[in-house]
Amino acid sequence: MSSETEIAVEDPTAPAEDSPPVTSTRVVEIAVYLVLAALALLLSFDNWRTGMGWASDGPQAGYFPFYLSIILAGASLYGLGSTILNSSEGREAFVTRDQLRRVMQVFVPTFLFCLFTQWLGLYVASFLLIAGFMWMVGRIALWKSLLTSFVFSMIMFVTFDIAFDVIMPKGPLEALFGH
């Protein structure tokens, strides 16, 4: 038996090789450059409004940020121009449908976690996030997911609220128990 033998295990949840592309690298680059340019213009306007000149006692509050936003706008326009002029580059797929689905499996619950933390509190939102990830994405048994997320949330509560007395976002459940 050779010690050079390699064992390859296929990931059954890996994105399919024949998954259709959602968008190209070029389109994403153009969109990012446009967003950066718009942000730079907004920042430069706000810093111009604040005061971007030189006063008798030195630079005004918007002096350095104004010029930094001008540099950001220039870099964005340069990148945009070079991307548009090099039409032969960036035709490869930026993300396929299967890859985007997998990214959304993480992004959407995380976004909802951020929203739910405002109303349910950190510990209940963490419980839901962990249980949901373990059960839906990890395909772990529901009872194991619920038990693990409950234990984790309780450890977080004891550590932050009781041991270290750190103020964390609370919801109606913590209020019910007097915290």
Side-chain angles (χ1 to χ4, degrees), residues 9-10 13 29 39 50 118 120 127 130 152 158 166 177:
V9 179
E10 298 274 335
T13 60
E29 285 180 358
L39 177 66
T50 302
Q118 304 302 314
L120 300 176
F127 171 82
I130 294 166
F152 179 79
V158 168
V166 176
F177 289 114

Side-chain angles (χ1 to χ4, degrees), residues 59 73 86:
N86 292 334

Side-chain angles (χ1 to χ4, degrees), residues 24-40:
S24 70
T25 301
R26 185 170 191 259
V27 170
V28 172
E29 285 180 358
I30 289 172
V32 169
Y33 285 133
L34 289 172
V35 167
L36 283 175
L39 177 66

Side-chain angles (χ1 to χ4, degrees), residues 44-94:
S44 63
F45 171 75
D46 189 50
N47 288 303
W48 171 77
R49 186 186 54 78
T50 302
M52 48 71 68
W54 198 269
S56 62
D57 58 346
Q60 292 177 321
Y63 183 80
F64 291 112
F66 175 80
Y67 288 106
L68 288 175
S69 62
I70 294 298
I71 292 170
L72 177 61
S76 301
L77 293 176
Y78 175 80
L80 181 63
S82 65
T83 301
I84 291 173
L85 292 176
N86 292 334
S87 60
S88 61
E89 293 181 13
R91 297 289 182 197
E92 65 274 359
F94 178 74

Side-chain angles (χ1 to χ4, degrees), residues 17 47 122 174:
E17 293 293 327
N47 288 303
L122 179 68
E174 292 89 355

